[in-house]
Structures are given as structure tokens and as C-alpha cells.
Amino acid sequence: MNRRNFLYSLPAISASGVVSVSQNQSLSNVQAIATWDNQSALQGCDQVLTQNGYALDAVEAGVRVAESNPDDLSVGYGGLPDATGKISLDACVMNELLRCGSVSYVRGYAHPVSIARGVMEFTDHVMLVGDGAEAFAKKKGYERRKLETKASKQAHKEWKKGASSNNHDTIGMLALDRQDRLCGACSTSGRAFKLPGRVGDSPIIGAGLYVDGKVGAAAATGMGEQVLTTLGCFHIVELMRQGSNPQAACELAVNRIIEAFPKSADQVAFIALSRRGEAGMHARYEGFKVTILEAGHIRVIDASHTQ
Ligand code: GLY
């Protein structure tokens, strides 16, 4: 059912007073949603959901597909490296009960999303970084992998020669299972050619991902520094708690970023899913695509944008 519904009539107002909701619509009957054209990743998620599986297993399975895809230059294997040519990965997960796990600056492991889940399930911490995250992954036996590919090495060479790069397409995935459990995950290699040690929004709970199983969930993609500055995903879920529909909430979060960074040319975008299966998606600039699973069908749609 590909219909758009007008779900709420009340405009949502951001804390800064900006009311700039261009659409105020949400998609309904959405079971899962992912940033960008991530059809095979969402198929991985769907396989778990159709077997009556847990939404956390579904988003983990889906994100692992993207992490294994060398053609995805911003996630996992074959992601673009930092300024020194090394690939470091960030990921996090969050479940319907506000439990979460996160890793950042992980090198040499295939599936940071699973390590993040391990942090949630096997420790009483939320986040592990760098050497500590890798020591944890080693102890738990997570799959090691050399992450660099010919293409990622070549891209680094070209960047060193002066080529510019604006590659930025974190995978964020949100899913609602048949028992109405809402969970999310995200994974990225971060900004291409970043300073070594740079951490973006994706592994930060509230910035790149936030889930409140009683309300809704949101995930971000794009310029992590801007999402970090505004804690975009927490902002979206709180707007939803106050009555905004997911579409309106995404638009307000993007507009908050525009207020904070008015001259930026960087893309930033959000997806959101309510606990009732209503989805929203919005970007600062044209070009943001979203993959959705609704009534068992996967399709890619263009998100709305503010500028
Ligand atoms: N949004 C991913 C990052 O900036 O690292």
C-alpha cells in the first residue's frame, strides 16, 4: 500500500520557533526503512521479519549485508579510508527497551554492527572505542577482515593528489517486528579521508540513531558533525513523543541543522519510523533516497528536501 496519509494536522514547532514543515505527511504500514538505496540490505532485514523474527536481529542482518558490500564506499568492507589510508568503522544498535551498544574507530573487523550489539549484550557499557573495542571483538571472536579494497586504495591515492570527495552514505535501518518491537542500527566508515580518530554521529546514541520503543526511532546520514551538534535523532524521537508525525519531525530536525549551519553545502538527512509503522524521511538537499519495506514489498523512494 503505497499511499501517503495526512496523519496529523497540528504543525510541530521546534524549540527555536522554526515552523517550516513542507509536507507534514508520513508513509504508513512501513515495516522497515533504510537510508539510501539499500535494497539488498533491506531484503536481509525482511528475511528475519517474515520469519516472525526479532527486529534487532532484522536490522543487524540487514546492516551486515551493507557492511559486506565492497561497492558501498561508506560502510564496512571497502569503505573509504581516513587521511592516512586506514579504514576505521563506527556502528551502533538500539532496541525497543532503550538498550544500546556502540563501537567506534574499529579497524580490521567485518561487522562492527555485531560488535556493537555484543557491547550491548555482553557488557554493562554502552560504547567501546579503538583498541578497547578491538580487544573486545577479539576476545568474543568476531570475524576479522582486511577492509581495504583496490577501489578504496585508489580513492585514497586520488584524494592525496588533490581530488575532492563528498562520499557520505551511512546505512541507518529501523524495523518494527510482528510483536511491535521497534529497533535500529547504523554503520559507517565515516567521512572519507577524515583525521585519524575522528568520530562522527553514527556511533553516538541520540545523534546517528535513537530508538524509544514506546514512541519511535530515527537514523541519520550525512555530515556527522552537524548531526552531532544537534543530536538529530534524539530530537526527532522527542518531537514524535510530543505529537509530531515522523515526516514533520525529520523536517524539523533538518531545519534545525540549517539554522545552525546556514551556509553549509553538506548533505544531511534523516529517516524515522513510529511504533505504529508510520515513516518519515527528509534531507537538506535533493538526492537523498530511502528504501522502505511495506506490506512485504521493498521499494526505493526520493525523500523530500528543504533546500
Ligand atoms: N554520518 C556519518 C559520519 O559523519 O561519520
Side-chain angles (χ1 to χ4, degrees), residues 150-165 193:
K150 259 190 191 167
S152 70
K153 284 183 192 161
Q154 184 61 28
H156 183 248
K157 262 192 203 156
E158 278 162 25
W159 173 75
K160 275 178 70 179
K161 282 192 221 146
S164 67
S165 167
F193 318 123

Side-chain angles (χ1 to χ4, degrees), residues 62-131:
V63 168
R64 283 174 66 100
V65 173
E67 288 177 339
S68 296
N69 178 3
D71 298 330
D72 190 330
L73 298 181
S74 294
V75 179
Y77 175 56
L80 288 174
D82 67 18
T84 67
K86 298 202 174 73
I87 297 174
S88 58
L89 305 177
D90 300 334
C92 70
V93 298
M94 192 158 186
N95 77 7
E96 77 283 7
L97 301 171
L98 294 175
R99 295 293 169 268
C100 46
S102 158
V103 289
S104 183
Y105 203 64
V106 176
R107 296 145 298 181
Y109 282 88
H111 294 297
V113 71
S114 297
I115 308 172
R117 183 169 177 178
V119 172
M120 179 180 101
E121 291 181 342
F122 304 132
T123 79
D124 59 0
H125 303 315
V126 165
M127 185 168 193
L128 293 176
V129 303
D131 292 346

Side-chain angles (χ1 to χ4, degrees), residues 90 168 170 188 190-191 198 200-202 220-225:
D90 300 334
H168 228 83
T170 305
T188 188
R191 263 170 84 174
R198 177 263 186 190
D201 59 314
S202 300
T221 182
M223 183 52 73
E225 280 70 9

Side-chain angles (χ1 to χ4, degrees), residues 30 32-39 41-42 45 63 170-175 185 219 271 281 288-293 299-301:
V30 174
I33 180 168
T35 53
W36 304 105
D37 182 346
N38 266 305
Q39 294 176 71
L42 212 57
C45 172
V63 168
T170 305
I171 183 163
M173 189 179 289
L174 312 170
I271 56 173
M281 61 222 68
F288 178 48
K289 291 188 185 303
V290 169
T291 311
I292 57 168
L293 170 69
R299 66 187 175 114
V300 177
I301 52 182

Side-chain angles (χ1 to χ4, degrees), residues 78-293:
L80 288 174
D82 67 18
T84 67
K86 298 202 174 73
I87 297 174
S88 58
L89 305 177
D90 300 334
C92 70
V93 298
M94 192 158 186
N95 77 7
E96 77 283 7
L97 301 171
L98 294 175
R99 295 293 169 268
C100 46
S102 158
V103 289
S104 183
Y105 203 64
V106 176
R107 296 145 298 181
Y109 282 88
H111 294 297
V113 71
S114 297
I115 308 172
R117 183 169 177 178
V119 172
M120 179 180 101
E121 291 181 342
F122 304 132
T123 79
D124 59 0
H125 303 315
V126 165
M127 185 168 193
L128 293 176
V129 303
D131 292 346
E134 289 162 19
F136 170 78
K138 186 174 177 194
K139 190 170 164 202
K140 290 287 177 192
Y142 288 98
E143 183 189 342
R144 291 192 59 84
R145 185 163 204 182
K146 186 175 172 297
L147 298 169
E148 289 77 14
T149 58
K150 259 190 191 167
S152 70
K153 284 183 192 161
Q154 184 61 28
H156 183 248
K157 262 192 203 156
E158 278 162 25
W159 173 75
K160 275 178 70 179
K161 282 192 221 146
S164 67
S165 167
N166 200 14
N167 189 287
H168 228 83
D169 53 4
T170 305
I171 183 163
M173 189 179 289
L174 312 170
L176 189 59
D177 66 27
R178 289 185 187 164
Q179 292 172 56
D180 290 335
R181 293 171 298 196
L182 180 62
C183 297
C186 70
S187 183
T188 188
S189 51
R191 263 170 84 174
F193 318 123
K194 61 196 176 185
L195 288 176
R198 177 263 186 190
V199 175
D201 59 314
S202 300
I204 305 299
I205 301 299
L209 178 75
Y210 197 72
V211 180
D212 183 326
K214 294 187 177 140
V215 177
T221 182
M223 183 52 73
E225 280 70 9
Q226 297 181 7
V227 179
L228 269 171
T229 303
T230 56
L231 284 182
C233 289
F234 182 72
H235 182 202
I236 288 170
V237 174
E238 289 307 299
L239 287 167
M240 288 162 67
R241 189 192 305 282
Q242 291 159 27
S244 291
N245 69 55
Q247 180 64 31
C250 288
E251 293 179 15
L252 287 163
V254 167
N255 292 349
R256 174 73 62 83
I257 285 173
I258 294 170
E259 274 188 297
F261 301 94
K263 297 201 168 107
S264 173
D266 294 308
Q267 178 66 296
V268 70
F270 295 99
I271 56 173
L273 183 62
S274 80
R275 66 181 293 272
R276 291 182 301 220
E278 302 140 357
M281 61 222 68
H282 192 71
R284 179 169 188 163
Y285 294 112
E286 192 173 3
F288 178 48
K289 291 188 185 303
V290 169
T291 311
I292 57 168
L293 170 69

